[in-house]
Amino acid sequence: MFSIGALSQHTGVKVPTIRYYEQMGLMSAPERTEGNQRRYGRAERERLGFIKHARDLGFSIGAICSLIELNNHPNRSCAEASEIAASQLVYVREKIASLTRLERELARISDGCSGNGIADKCYVLASLADHARCETDH
Amino acid sequence: MFSIGALSQHTGVKVPTIRYYEQMGLMSAPERTEGNQRRYGRAERERLGFIKHARDLGFSIGAICSLIELNNHPNRSCAEASEIAASQLVYVREKIASLTRLERELARISDGCSGNGIADKCYVLASLADHARCETDH
DNA sequence: CTTGAACCTCTAGCTGCTAGAGACATTAAG
DNA sequence: CTTAATGTCTCTAGCAGCTAGAGGTTCAAG
């Protein structure tokens, strides 16, 4: 049995965030001391670890809710959990692709401008003003 | 001289967003008709184009504020603008790197689970519960 | 028994918008 | 010139996913 602060230290999730997760229904309401303070056990620590890990992987609160639900129905869990993970993977890959396009554009803009102020107009500012200079869509 | 709706159509920025930019100080307050409606000219359309382009490239509102400021002081603009663009580039590259690590992890998790429910425990759920299975930091 | 840290609830703030209410302005058709 | 449809106005509240603060209570060490 440990306090919210101890749970926070064990998992690396901040105290107010733990309370927020409880409010959002990710964590169920724990036991309380006589003085109304939260006391957690091993199961709760594991669940919070699960949540943190999923959040670190970019899963939304909603998706994690679904995953937790699935965990409670082991017979139909695997296919649906796979689907959630797969769609998260698609989402991440799309983000990478779009950021990579931006990176190319930014690198081009950054390179074009030596930063010495010699050019009569700053290449960075000019590039931002004029989308036609771009090589990729965004 | 065109209305906020027309400006929106020209630039692809939604009407409430234009008003929001005005509130945030990115766009200066335009002329008004007798009936208090906003009327924009060519200069404002260009500025909004600049803002949209920068937003599309992931610059924050704050960064765009700085860039606009710099645009008004051409003599000291180039070096600072370069710096802002460069730091944006660093930020984007970091994001790509971290997403790429996640992608690898997710792909591994997704692959491990065939989704047919044969395994006695779902690989996706097990992986999320147990960070020790991960190959990279996150 | 005292003290100081940790805890409680509640509210408000952050970014970058988006949506809605209720009222007024503009514009095109009849 | 009137009327109807659309556009616009301001204001407030909401979204995710927290984070910060106020003001008060409880716990644990000494």
Side-chain angles (χ1 to χ4, degrees):
Chain A
M1 281 295 150
F2 30 87
S3 69
I4 196 168
L7 182 63
S8 168
Q9 287 210 311
H10 282 320
T11 57
V13 178
K14 287 183 190 156
V15 168
T17 305
I18 297 172
R19 289 196 276 248
Y20 171 74
Y21 287 162
E22 183 181 328
Q23 217 184 308
M24 292 298 101
L26 284 185
M27 294 290 287
S28 45
E31 287 179 48
R32 300 275 184 143
T33 62
E34 277 187 28
N36 199 35
Q37 298 195 355
R38 293 168 177 83
R39 284 302 113 104
Y40 297 94
R42 182 192 297 249
E44 275 123 328
R45 192 181 55 197
E46 271 169 32
R47 163 164 293 196
L48 187 54
F50 178 100
I51 294 168
K52 175 164 173 46
H53 196 185
R55 284 293 304 138
D56 285 348
L57 287 165
F59 288 84
S60 70
I61 300 275
I64 297 171
C65 265
S66 309
L67 289 168
I68 287 173
E69 273 265 312
L70 291 173
N71 218 4
N72 301 332
H73 303 278
N75 45 334
R76 65 182 178 88
S77 75
C78 203
E80 292 182 45
S82 273
E83 220 169 283
I84 293 174
S87 83
Q88 177 63 18
L89 181 55
V90 167
Y91 170 78
V92 167
R93 283 184 173 152
E94 275 169 10
K95 264 209 152 163
I96 290 172
S98 123
L99 281 175
T100 303
R101 285 195 294 275
L102 294 193
E103 192 238 313
R104 225 170 294 149
E105 210 58 60
L106 277 170
R108 196 180 54 72
I109 290 172
S110 234
D111 277 1
C113 195
S114 55
N116 55 17
I118 288 174
D120 66 315
K121 211 175 175 205
C122 176
Y123 190 77
V124 170
L125 296 174
S127 295
L128 285 172
D130 184 7
H131 194 159
R133 297 185 178 210
C134 289
E135 282 159 0
T136 57
D137 278 349
H138 50 253
Chain B
M1 281 295 151
F2 31 88
S3 69
I4 195 167
L7 181 64
S8 168
Q9 287 211 312
H10 283 319
T11 57
V13 178
K14 287 181 189 159
V15 169
T17 305
I18 297 172
R19 288 196 276 248
Y20 172 74
Y21 286 163
E22 183 181 327
Q23 218 183 308
M24 292 297 102
L26 284 185
M27 294 289 288
S28 44
E31 286 178 50
R32 301 276 184 143
T33 62
E34 276 187 29
N36 199 35
Q37 298 196 354
R38 291 167 178 83
R39 283 304 112 102
Y40 297 94
R42 182 191 295 250
E44 274 121 329
R45 192 182 56 198
E46 270 170 32
R47 163 165 291 197
L48 187 54
F50 178 100
I51 294 167
K52 174 162 173 49
H53 195 187
R55 283 293 305 138
D56 286 347
L57 287 166
F59 288 85
S60 71
I61 300 275
I64 297 171
C65 265
S66 308
L67 288 169
I68 287 173
E69 274 265 312
L70 291 173
N71 218 1
N72 301 332
H73 302 279
N75 45 332
R76 65 184 179 87
S77 75
C78 203
E80 291 183 44
S82 273
E83 220 170 284
I84 293 175
S87 84
Q88 177 63 19
L89 181 55
V90 166
Y91 170 77
V92 167
R93 281 183 174 152
E94 274 169 12
K95 264 209 150 162
I96 290 172
S98 123
L99 281 175
T100 302
R101 284 195 295 274
L102 294 192
E103 192 237 314
R104 225 170 293 150
E105 210 59 60
L106 276 170
R108 195 181 54 73
I109 291 172
S110 233
D111 277 0
C113 195
S114 56
N116 55 15
I118 288 174
D120 65 315
K121 212 176 174 203
C122 177
Y123 190 77
V124 171
L125 295 175
S127 295
L128 285 172
D130 184 6
H131 194 160
R133 296 186 180 210
C134 289
E135 282 159 1
T136 57
D137 279 350
H138 50 254

